[in-house]
Amino acid sequence: MSLPFPITARHKGFNRAEIVDQNFTEFVTLWEGEVRRAPHDDQPVLPGSALDAKGFRELFESQLISRHLDLMARVLRVQNKVFYTIGSSGHEGNAMVARLTRHTDPAFLHYRSGGFMAERFRKLPGMDPVMDSALSFAASKDDPASGGRHKVWGSKPLWVLPQTSTIASHLPKALGTAIAIDHARRIGHTLPVPDDSIAICSFGDASSNHATAQTAFNAAGWTAYQKLPAPVLFVCEDNGIGISVKTPTDWVAANYRSRSNLDYFYADGLDLAEGYAQVQRAVDHCRSTRRPTFLHLKTTRVMGHAGTDFEIEWRSIEELCAVEATDPLLRSAAIGMESGLYSKDELLALYEATRKRCFAAAEEADRRPKLERLDDVMAPLAPYTPAKVKAEAERTDYADARLKAFGSVEKLPENQPPRHLAIQIGQALHDTMAKYPESLLFGEDVAQKGGVYTVTKGLHKAFKNTRVFNTLLDETVILGLAQGYANMGMLPIPEIQYLAYFHNAADQIRGEAASLQFFSNDQYRNPLVMRVASLGYQRGFGGHFHNDNSIAALRDIPGLVVGCPSRGDDAATMLRTLTALAKVDGRVCAFLEPIALYMTKDLYDAGDGAWQFAYPAPGEAMALGEGRVYGEDASDLVVFTFGNGVPMALRAARTVEAELKWKVRVVDLRWLAPLNDAFIASEAKTAKRIIVLDEGRKSAGVGEGVISAIVEAGLGATPLERVVGADTFTPLAGAAFLVLPGEADVVAAARRLAG
């Protein structure tokens, strides 16, 4: 489609938003096409089109709302009244996807989804796409999507989960949600959406190349190859460019058209009359076949990537004008006039009325209250209701399910002799899955094999393949799947086989799972408990990737709960609280399991069995932040530590007590995020000397947080030594123990304090 006017000096202007705006008026004014007799509401808008006249009018109005929100943002951003200018201009055809899907189809949208949102708002009465969007643009506290925390496309009643994704990071959880929709039926779980729902996920052509996108497509194909349902509609909105990097011509089609088990459909998103049936075929296919579907939606990008992208500086005027000539609003205007649905004057009046409506909403949004208190900003980040969590953690009304899971009264773990950590984690997981029929445990090797350390042994037999299952070897997919199950009301317990493997997929927790409550103002939650085999000191098998002692990447994630038990009974009571935090407060949790302590039975001498403990019966739970203290009355030396450091400190304490005649207290933090500063300060207050034993690296370790808590409590004058790992990767075999702290290092630190 070409513009009905030539390129002039005006079209060389610096402000392309103004040019695009003027193009619409000039296009309508100068249009000279043939006018048909206006169709009735239920008749095709143009002969042969699957779109009826009523549908076209509504889609066109949604396109206009999206466009004028973009134009409004460009104008009012310089007045500091709105704070976001990445727009949807050129992508307004995604309104067709919204119209042809349901408001109960969970949607994970990228930032060019103004048309989709405007159209989806029609699905429920009494909703206002203009005002709601304006409040988000203005970062108003009244924003119904995020409460003023970010400009996001989101809506709780419309099942649009707010996204602030890094490139393509929302694709794995969209796939996970699709898989969860059909998996729910197999475990008898009642979904919060209809059983035949599909998950919708939109992204750009540039994002389709990202590793996170590729892992989602691969996992979708892997699932479909096994005849398992995965009803996800991947909507690739192809505008041919990513910021300033152009996508090779026909790359998306060439790359995805023939991909096995990812069903490809093309639709013209620039032409409502032509593209509507094409979109409908893709949606219908996804819903009926329950297969992953790739909708290649042709779009364009006008007005640049964002308000700060002055394309005239790096694109020729001829190229810009050619792109602007493909503006889908011009094609929609032509359809409106050719069909006889609108006269020129009616179109221009509608265009200006929509502009006025968007600006009026933005001005009103600017007058609404903003977030002005830190407490208000952080309120949805990490909700915690201690009494409710305690009651849930100690709940014992599942005795029959426990008995079935363990097989008999005699086999109940509390009736067994004291056992070591690996056994008791497995017993606690049996307990958890008996308590929560909606819980699922999955990861690499966790099913028939029982995990590489046999921690999950017996779970697959007890709960079958629908609840305990292996995944493909991809941590990003594992954590995306976990979020999908959580979105659908289940309780996922994903396993990451080693802590070092978590770093491959950290953004699924940092950028996605842990941020959802914050950016949705606690309207959406994706509770999960991530189990991770962790930390160092593993003998006979190791190196960096199996002895990763760095948990800084976890502790730095806002809102994430990180627990690390050092003994079996603590593991059981901690796991009960973690699952209660997930169920009650929607928290995302990490359960770090020290590999080197999995099989440890002895503490001081071979055969003493002093590191085996009785299993805590149902009804016992560990409060968030509650540590364990050994030698409560001792004050000559207090050692703060966690994980492998606990038995190490206890052994070192025996040497120190014999040599220096001190009484030594060992404090097991147990909870590493959030650190319980008050507990640390209370234990440090009576200490004559302090050692902080942190098996992690010197930089960014847990020990830094412990020392900060001590100093900030005004106890900085207490003599203190830090025993910590070196700032290096962990080498293989015996060399590993050169970089990790040991008992001798603790004793040496005590001697320095004595000196």
Side-chain angles (χ1 to χ4, degrees):
M1 181 176 61
S2 61
L3 296 174
F5 44 83
I7 295 174
T8 65
R10 176 183 72 77
H11 297 101
K12 297 178 182 180
F14 193 71
N15 186 343
R16 302 313 298 179
E18 182 179 353
I19 300 304
V20 169
D21 187 22
Q22 293 175 359
N23 281 348
F24 185 89
T25 300
E26 290 194 26
F27 179 87
V28 173
T29 302
L30 299 176
W31 187 80
E32 295 180 349
E34 178 183 351
V35 178
R36 302 174 182 272
R37 182 177 179 180
H40 295 297
D41 280 357
D42 58 352
Q43 292 179 323
V45 63
L46 289 178
S49 175
L51 177 62
D52 61 31
K54 180 178 183 292
F56 170 78
R57 278 198 300 267
E58 292 182 349
L59 283 169
F60 181 49
E61 289 170 8
S62 294
Q63 289 184 310
L64 291 177
I65 288 171
S66 178
R67 176 61 55 86
H68 279 296
L69 286 172
D70 285 358
L71 293 170
M72 172 275 294
R74 298 298 178 94
V75 173
L76 296 187
R77 174 65 192 94
V78 296
Q79 300 178 31
N80 215 34
K81 293 183 176 181
V82 303
F83 303 94
Y84 196 84
T85 57
I86 296 180
S88 305
S89 296
H91 285 246
E92 292 89 353
N94 57 34
M96 292 186 287
V97 180
R99 188 173 188 85
L100 287 162
T101 54
R102 306 169 184 164
H103 78 276
T104 49
D105 291 328
F108 304 83
L109 307 177
H110 70 154
Y111 40 64
R112 303 197 193 281
S113 298
F116 182 103
M117 286 301 298
E119 185 63 26
R120 183 165 270 207
F121 268 89
R122 298 182 188 279
K123 302 286 185 176
L124 292 177
M127 301 193 72
D128 185 352
V130 175
M131 193 64 219
D132 281 9
S133 300
L135 289 166
S136 190
F137 275 100
S140 168
K141 190 176 180 180
D142 294 340
D143 166 27
S146 76
R149 287 167 187 82
H150 204 279
K151 163 64 189 72
V152 292
W153 297 119
S155 170
K156 177 64 173 178
L158 295 176
W159 268 100
V160 179
L161 289 78
Q163 301 301 299
T164 59
S165 299
T166 51
I167 295 175
S169 62
H170 58 304
L171 272 70
K173 67 180 181 182
L175 171 63
T177 302
I179 292 172
I181 289 170
D182 278 77
H183 195 152
R185 172 180 46 79
R186 298 197 293 277
I187 67 168
H189 174 69
T190 301
L191 286 168
V193 297
D195 291 350
D196 65 343
S197 297
I198 64 173
I200 304 160
C201 182
S202 63
F203 50 92
D205 50 294
S207 295
S208 73
N209 300 305
H210 196 276
T212 312
Q214 292 300 315
T215 201
F217 299 144
N218 179 70
W222 187 84
T223 304
Y225 180 77
Q226 298 176 88
K227 311 300 183 186
L228 296 172
V232 58
L233 181 68
F234 291 120
V235 184
C236 181
E237 300 186 15
D238 184 2
N239 63 22
I241 196 167
I243 304 184
S244 67
V245 180
K246 294 180 181 178
T247 298
T249 302
D250 296 329
W251 166 247
V252 173
N255 197 15
Y256 293 99
R257 186 166 43 210
S258 301
R259 190 171 290 202
S260 179
N261 291 299
L262 186 61
D263 302 341
Y264 174 91
F265 290 80
Y266 171 83
D268 187 350
L270 303 177
D271 188 325
L272 298 181
E274 179 69 20
Y276 193 77
Q278 297 167 333
V279 173
Q280 187 167 34
R281 280 193 289 272
V283 172
D284 291 349
H285 173 84
C286 184
R287 197 178 304 280
S288 62
T289 66
R290 318 304 288 167
R291 284 175 56 83
T293 304
F294 188 96
L295 173 58
H296 180 192
L297 187 68
K298 180 178 177 59
T299 62
T300 191
R301 190 188 78 190
V302 295
M303 293 165 47
H305 174 72
T308 54
D309 179 19
F310 302 115
E311 290 183 295
I312 194 68
E313 295 180 339
W314 57 273
R315 298 180 86 172
S316 70
I317 186 63
E318 291 77 16
E319 183 182 0
L320 281 173
C321 289
V323 169
E324 290 161 2
T326 64
D327 185 345
L329 260 65
L330 304 184
R331 175 57 185 152
S332 292
I335 293 170
M337 291 183 289
E338 180 185 346
S339 66
L341 289 176
Y342 297 97
S343 68
K344 292 182 179 183
D345 289 343
E346 288 170 336
L347 265 183
L348 294 175
L350 177 60
Y351 189 76
E352 293 305 323
T354 308
R355 183 200 307 275
K356 183 177 180 180
R357 181 183 173 192
C358 290
F359 271 84
E363 294 289 353
E364 170 61 23
D366 180 54
R367 292 189 288 269
R368 297 285 189 91
K370 304 294 193 295
L371 290 169
E372 296 178 346
R373 297 173 60 249
L374 177 60
D375 287 348
D376 291 338
V377 172
M378 295 184 64
L381 174 65
Y384 179 41
T385 51
K388 291 182 179 179
V389 169
K390 183 177 187 294
E392 178 62 23
E394 296 176 352
R395 179 169 62 84
T396 60
D397 58 352
Y398 59 104
D400 290 344
R402 285 192 85 226
L403 198 60
K404 182 178 179 181
F406 288 104
S408 68
V409 172
E410 292 74 23
K411 292 181 180 179
L412 291 175
E414 62 268 30
N415 295 329
Q416 301 297 308
R419 305 303 294 269
H420 53 279
L421 179 65
I423 292 292
Q424 292 197 330
I425 290 176
Q427 292 170 334
L429 290 170
H430 276 80
D431 245 345
T432 297
M433 298 196 72
K435 184 174 183 177
Y436 299 107
E438 71 275 22
S439 62
L440 304 165
L441 188 144
F442 51 91
E444 303 165 12
D445 301 303
V446 301
Q448 292 88 343
K449 180 178 175 63
V452 293
Y453 297 100
T454 69
V455 174
T456 58
K457 183 179 179 180
L459 284 163
H460 182 264
K461 182 178 180 180
F463 297 101
K464 311 309 177 188
N465 205 48
T466 53
R467 294 186 59 200
V468 179
F469 52 91
N470 294 324
T471 65
L472 71 173
L473 274 64
D474 187 328
E475 288 73 27
T476 297
V477 169
I478 292 170
L479 295 178
L481 191 62
Q483 293 174 79
Y485 284 123
N487 288 334
M488 292 295 100
M490 289 171 255
L491 179 61
I493 308 173
E495 178 186 288
I496 301 299
Q497 200 164 82
Y498 291 100
L499 181 57
Y501 297 178
F502 165 75
H503 303 302
N504 300 332
D507 191 51
Q508 287 300 305
I509 298 296
R510 175 185 299 278
E512 297 296 336
S515 70
L516 181 61
Q517 280 180 276
F518 182 76
F519 287 116
S520 72
N521 200 17
D522 201 21
Q523 296 177 89
Y524 280 107
R525 297 175 167 187
N526 48 15
L528 60 91
V529 179
M530 175 180 66
R531 295 179 47 246
V532 190
S534 307
L535 307 180
Y537 302 98
Q538 185 178 189
R539 294 181 180 273
F541 179 64
H544 166 64
F545 289 103
H546 304 99
N547 274 299
D548 188 353
N549 61 345
S550 174
I551 63 170
L554 284 164
R555 292 188 64 245
D556 182 54
I557 299 174
L560 181 68
V561 176
V562 181
C564 181
S566 62
R567 44 190 271 182
D569 54 345
D570 282 358
T573 56
M574 179 180 282
L575 190 58
R576 290 168 188 167
T577 296
L578 289 169
T579 52
L581 283 164
K583 289 296 296 182
V584 173
D585 291 324
R587 300 294 291 274
V588 179
C589 306
F591 185 58
L592 306 187
E593 304 170 6
I595 299 171
L597 296 180
Y598 271 152
M599 306 303 175
T600 298
K601 301 178 178 66
D602 306 324
L603 178 57
Y604 299 113
D605 303 304
D608 68 13
W611 210 242
Q612 298 186 105
F613 301 92
Y615 186 83
E620 297 181 36
M622 180 197 306
L624 177 62
E626 179 186 348
R628 180 184 286 277
V629 180
Y630 300 83
E632 293 183 1
D633 297 330
S635 60
D636 293 320
L637 174 64
V638 175
V639 183
F640 290 93
T641 189
F642 65 94
N644 292 296
V646 178
M648 182 189 302
L650 290 170
R651 288 190 291 269
R654 191 165 71 165
T655 301
V656 170
E657 287 174 341
E659 179 179 322
L660 300 177
K661 309 307 179 184
W662 289 349
K663 291 185 177 180
V664 181
R665 187 190 327 158
V666 174
V667 177
D668 182 357
L669 299 168
R670 301 197 292 197
W671 301 95
L672 307 184
L675 278 176
N676 188 340
D677 290 354
F679 168 67
I680 293 168
S682 70
E683 293 298 323
K685 186 176 181 180
T686 57
K688 295 177 182 177
R689 304 163 191 86
I690 295 172
I691 289 177
V692 176
L693 171 56
D694 177 1
E695 69 174 272
R697 297 172 195 151
K698 180 179 180 180
S699 300
V702 174
E704 292 182 352
V706 175
I707 294 171
S708 294
I710 293 169
V711 172
E712 289 173 358
L715 303 171
T718 306
L720 184 146
E721 285 276 341
R722 179 157 63 127
V723 179
V724 68
D727 280 340
T728 180
F729 298 106
T730 305
L732 191 63
F737 297 91
L738 300 175
V739 306
L740 297 170
E743 291 171 40
D745 299 307
V746 179
V747 174
R751 290 172 181 154
R752 289 193 296 272
L753 288 170

